[in-house]
Amino acid sequence: MRYCKYLSSENGASLARYALVEKRNGVFWATLPMQAPQEDLTSRILGGLPVPTTDVDFEPTPLTDLKLLPPVAPSKIVCVGRNYKDHAAELGNEVPKEPLLFFKPPSSLLAPKGTVRIPTISTRVDYEGELGIVIGRRCYKIGPDEDVRPYIRGYVIVNDVTARDIQKSDGQFTRGKGFDTFCPVGPIVSDEIDPAGGQPVTVITRLNGAVKQQASTRDFIFPIAELLRYITQVMTLEPGALIPTGTPAGVGAVKPGDRIQVEIDSLGILENEFSAE
């Protein structure tokens, strides 16, 4: 299953809707309306009415013709740092002995095609293309021999935008990673890939069309199953929780006017521009 979230204009009001997605001749299309996921209460109750499962006025539409929204509504965003050896090395860091975790606030979410605001208090903002996991079932203390895949709803593209100078000066990641607009996500969520089951995907990041990052998830230091077991020893993950899994080597700075595209097999392209605050 693939799905997206988009802004719909209905009877003079703008409502958030979800739709199933299919690929037609290499292009993603929203083909059928779908119920909002259980965690997205705002979308489900907008206007005091539940989002319908059917809509007689719905017309299949290319995603490029929709105003897309972040397709996730996480209660928490639990990120993984330094999960590729080459990325740890390029920033002069040791390879972690255990997964390195940090949070981004849900207020940092940004839609595909949205504009990332470069804060005036930062002198260096970097892109970080990543694969994200979307949790589908409540999980806590996943067992060492338990299959993690039933807890995964699907996967999504994430750009873990980072104010690198603030991250380094603070010594921890909250401010440098947490600015509004610093978590572009989308365009779709899909369960039609299976990196947790041993089928790796490739993460490619382009800056103004030039490839800057390209790596396979087979190069993870900590594979997905290990990450989810580790995280859930500490905290409960609710449906909709977002887990960005770490970025490959090749991160770099952006300036106003730059365009970043992150591409992952079967998930499409997440594209965002950057502007001065």
Side-chain angles (χ1 to χ4, degrees), residues 210-223:
V211 173
K212 296 296 183 179
Q213 295 181 291
Q214 184 166 355
S216 169
T217 57
R218 70 166 56 89
D219 298 326
F220 280 166
I221 298 170
F222 305 105

Side-chain angles (χ1 to χ4, degrees), residues 190-201:
S190 175
D191 64 359
E192 297 183 11
I193 58 175
D194 187 22
Q199 299 176 13
V201 295

Side-chain angles (χ1 to χ4, degrees), residues 42-55:
T42 301
S43 180
R44 293 181 67 182
I45 309 175
L46 273 173
L49 297 172
V51 173
T53 55
T54 59
D55 184 347

Side-chain angles (χ1 to χ4, degrees), residues 101-116:
L101 305 181
F102 60 92
F103 286 107
K104 278 181 174 287
S107 55
S108 65
L109 289 171
L110 182 67
K113 302 285 188 173
T115 300
V116 181

